[in-house]
Amino acid sequence: MAGYSIKAGGVVLTPDKGPDELKTVWDVVWAISEKNDEKAAVGNLWFTGEPERGAVELDFTIDKKYADTEYTKDVLRSITEWVFKRKDLYEIKTTVNTDDKERIKALE
């Protein structure tokens, strides 16, 4: 997956493993960085395992500095579109604490 990335609004998602290290696409931590500055770390996104029964579970972290920006929405929108390109997947799951207002807002 070297050179592979997903452009998401003002950010880019880049896998942390090269093609020789990659077992499956679900075995990757995606680094989220600003599109104009790939060294500016925004956060990370990962799947918690292989898809099961048409669903995959997703988790992510966004640096507090970027929490109130469009970046989180851009990332979630783009990864959702990317996942649903597969015809065998129809559900994305995630867990969120009820007091995490920024994350709830982004997911909504």
Side-chain angles (χ1 to χ4, degrees):
M1 292 186 78
Y4 184 83
S5 63
I6 298 173
K7 291 178 177 50
V11 293
V12 176
L13 286 78
T14 307
D16 70 340
K17 295 182 179 182
D20 297 335
E21 301 170 292
L22 187 66
K23 293 178 184 164
T24 74
V25 71
W26 313 109
D27 182 39
V28 174
V29 174
W30 297 82
I32 305 166
S33 58
E34 288 189 273
K35 191 181 281 185
N36 296 332
D37 182 2
E38 292 190 22
K39 292 184 177 27
V42 173
N44 292 295
L45 178 140
W46 61 94
F47 297 97
T48 61
E50 298 282 329
E52 288 185 25
R53 296 183 299 271
V56 66
E57 189 165 349
L58 172 76
D59 203 355
F60 62 95
T61 60
I62 300 292
D63 187 294
K64 290 271 186 216
K65 174 179 165 182
Y66 300 99
D68 202 21
T69 67
E70 290 293 311
Y71 288 167
T72 305
K73 291 177 188 174
D74 290 342
V75 166
L76 293 173
R77 186 178 306 113
S78 294
I79 203 69
T80 298
E81 291 171 359
W82 183 81
V83 166
F84 290 144
K85 284 182 181 177
R86 289 182 50 134
K87 302 294 184 211
D88 60 334
L89 292 175
Y90 54 87
E91 183 178 14
I92 299 173
K93 299 177 183 181
T94 193
T95 303
V96 63
N97 291 326
T98 57
D99 61 343
D100 192 341
K101 304 296 183 213
E102 293 159 342
R103 189 171 172 130
I104 291 169
K105 183 179 175 183
L107 290 165
E108 287 175 339

